[in-house]
Amino acid sequence: IYAFNIEISRIPWITEDKMIAEMRLQWWYNLLSSMEENSFVEKHPIAEDLNEHLSNNKSAIKLLKETVKARNWDIYSEHHESELDLWKYIEHTSSNLLMSCLGFVPSINSYGQGIGMASYLMAVSNLVKFGKNPLPNCNDEAIHDLSLKAVEGLRKGRDNNLDKHIAAGLRL
């Protein structure tokens, strides 16, 4: 799942042609759809491993399809319309990966949003250097508020009673 994430997250950075980037993301989306419909035939090492591990997990496939759709934002330079849109992007590109691996548990979703937003905020200055407009509001107060919410997500994810194997996975 994480190799898949690397594949789709790098797509906007390996081509300047937005149409090519969209086509590559669509290829992954279609591939996940074929897994969902039990009609997988692609010969691709990451895709084959995904199919092997997710063939009976339709909810994980659905989460990963949301991740692919969210990565379309990475192709363009517009900011997220609102803080809620930004949090949805973080959920789809971070929490969905964890939940695809560990199952849908609210604690995992909270932790994924916390770690996702923390990572995203660390990347903001580089995103700006590359011409992206990563935040709906770039003032210090808004950024501080997002960081506090990220910490709260991490705390919620760690404080809830989770199976010890899941908790160990969250510490990775």
Side-chain angles (χ1 to χ4, degrees), residues 87-126:
W87 281 105
K88 271 295 186 201
Y89 171 84
I90 297 298
E91 179 180 343
H92 291 162
T93 59
S94 184
S95 295
N96 283 9
L97 299 170
L98 287 173
M99 292 186 296
S100 294
C101 295
L102 302 170
F104 186 84
V105 176
S107 297
I108 294 170
N109 190 33
S110 294
Y111 186 86
Q113 286 188 350
I115 198 70
M117 183 59 79
S119 298
Y120 189 81
L121 290 173
M122 289 190 303
V124 163
S125 63
N126 283 332

Side-chain angles (χ1 to χ4, degrees), residues 18-117:
K18 293 171 183 2
M19 181 70 76
I20 298 291
E22 286 181 13
M23 289 169 56
R24 288 179 179 193
L25 286 173
Q26 188 63 47
W27 184 86
W28 281 101
Y29 187 88
N30 292 346
L31 181 126
L32 290 166
S33 293
S34 72
M35 288 179 194
E36 196 172 37
E37 298 162 1
N38 296 319
S39 60
F40 175 78
V41 293
E42 293 295 331
K43 294 290 183 200
H44 184 284
I46 294 170
E48 289 171 348
D49 285 344
L50 268 180
N51 187 54
E52 181 181 328
H53 290 90
L54 298 177
S55 61
N56 294 320
N57 192 342
K58 304 291 187 211
S59 57
I61 293 169
K62 182 178 184 283
L63 291 170
L64 295 179
K65 287 171 70 176
E66 289 176 350
T67 301
V68 172
K69 286 294 184 193
R71 287 290 176 190
N72 273 298
W73 180 86
D74 298 341
I75 298 170
Y76 302 98
S77 300
E78 295 84 23
H79 63 78
H80 297 279
E81 292 295 316
S82 67
E83 185 178 320
L84 180 62
D85 288 339
L86 174 59
W87 281 105
K88 271 295 186 201
Y89 171 84
I90 297 298
E91 179 180 343
H92 291 162
T93 59
S94 184
S95 295
N96 283 9
L97 299 170
L98 287 173
M99 292 186 296
S100 294
C101 295
L102 302 170
F104 186 84
V105 176
S107 297
I108 294 170
N109 190 33
S110 294
Y111 186 86
Q113 286 188 350
I115 198 70
M117 183 59 79

